[in-house]
Amino acid sequence: MIQARSMHRTLKLLGILILLNCTGILVSFSQNKQVIDSLLTLTKTEKSEKVKALLYSKIVEEYYFNVPDSAIKYCYIGMKCSARLNDISDLAYFHTFLGVLYKNTDAYDSAIYHFNKSIELNKKDDFEEGVAGSLNNLGQVLLLKGDYDKSLNSYFSSLEIFEKHQDTLNIGELHSNIGALLVKINEFDAAEEHFNISRRQYKLAGVKLQE
């Protein structure tokens, strides 16, 4: 039986970090195609909307690196399954994934829309870490658009939640993001303070940093 938030957390902290580095982990599309074809076949016979949404989420993950347009397409299809069930957790998952996909393809206004929807749904679902993750992602998009004040506000809102949950890894990520933003606006001393905090938090989380 699929738990209420299992698909929403399929990619752990997807809406929280989204620092997926393609180097060394890309799988050739020819390898993925067999998996995708099998998943699509299952969607044709599956009766459960919940399970179909999960299958579509897996298809999205397979397309993520190589064919973002197809990933977006199947996000919307999976979202329709979740909408028919009014499954808030899974809807938040798809909105988060769409936000990431649109961010990665430079469709920033669409990314902002979907991250805001994810924040709204995660609040309804009392999933604070999901709210924080989408706030972090929203901050990244606003930074790319050059809206530094809104980006900084989004980062600090995300940081406050992660501090509440004592999530050292993501606290480190937020301080790093804040530092990078402050560098862009020539606040170098403040940026260095955040980078130093970031390094300490990453070490607490067990991340090995290059000296």
Side-chain angles (χ1 to χ4, degrees):
M1 181 177 179
I2 299 173
Q3 298 299 314
R5 287 177 176 167
S6 62
M7 188 185 75
H8 186 60
R9 298 174 181 178
T10 299
L11 295 180
K12 189 177 181 183
L13 305 184
L14 171 68
I16 299 176
L17 281 178
I18 304 301
L19 294 176
L20 297 171
N21 186 343
C22 299
T23 306
I25 59 175
L26 280 176
V27 180
S28 70
F29 185 67
S30 61
Q31 289 176 292
N32 285 7
K33 191 173 186 307
Q34 289 183 337
V35 176
I36 292 167
D37 288 345
S38 297
L39 291 167
L40 284 171
T41 298
L42 290 172
T43 64
K44 293 175 182 177
T45 56
E46 180 56 53
K47 303 297 184 184
S48 165
E49 294 289 344
K50 178 77 174 181
V51 176
K52 281 199 288 188
L54 176 60
L55 292 170
Y56 284 121
S57 78
K58 296 295 185 183
I59 293 168
V60 170
E61 292 167 23
E62 293 296 327
Y63 275 125
Y64 176 84
F65 289 112
N66 297 310
V67 194
D69 287 347
S70 293
I72 290 169
K73 170 186 171 182
Y74 286 104
C75 262
Y76 283 115
I77 295 173
M79 187 182 290
K80 287 181 180 178
C81 297
S82 298
R84 283 192 281 269
L85 298 173
N86 193 30
D87 190 319
I88 294 173
S89 296
D90 290 356
L91 284 169
Y93 168 90
F94 282 116
H95 279 293
T96 300
F97 220 140
L98 282 165
V100 173
L101 288 161
Y102 281 125
K103 181 182 74 171
N104 291 349
T105 53
D106 300 333
Y108 298 140
D109 289 340
S110 294
I112 289 169
Y113 169 80
H114 286 288
F115 285 136
N116 278 323
K117 288 296 292 183
S118 175
I119 291 166
E120 175 188 330
L121 290 164
N122 280 316
K123 285 180 178 179
K124 287 182 180 179
D125 200 29
D126 293 324
F127 183 26
E128 289 190 327
E129 295 95 326
V131 173
S134 288
L135 283 166
N136 183 19
N137 279 307
L138 180 60
Q140 293 175 35
V141 179
L142 291 167
L143 175 64
L144 290 168
K145 289 194 71 175
D147 198 337
Y148 298 141
D149 287 340
K150 287 184 179 179
S151 176
L152 198 58
N153 287 337
S154 191
Y155 283 152
F156 276 116
S157 295
S158 177
L159 178 61
E160 183 179 356
I161 296 171
F162 283 130
E163 287 179 335
K164 174 183 174 182
H165 290 273
Q166 299 181 338
D167 187 331
T168 54
L169 179 62
N170 288 299
I171 292 170
E173 160 68 6
L174 263 300
H175 280 290
S176 178
N177 287 349
I178 292 167
L181 188 157
L182 291 171
V183 167
K184 282 187 172 291
I185 59 175
N186 299 321
E187 296 286 347
F188 300 114
D189 290 340
E192 184 59 29
E193 289 181 18
H194 284 283
F195 287 138
N196 287 334
I197 297 171
S198 176
R199 284 190 285 269
R200 290 197 295 271
Q201 292 295 319
Y202 276 140
K203 286 180 179 179
L204 287 172
V207 177
K208 292 183 179 179
L209 302 174
Q210 289 184 336
E211 299 296 337

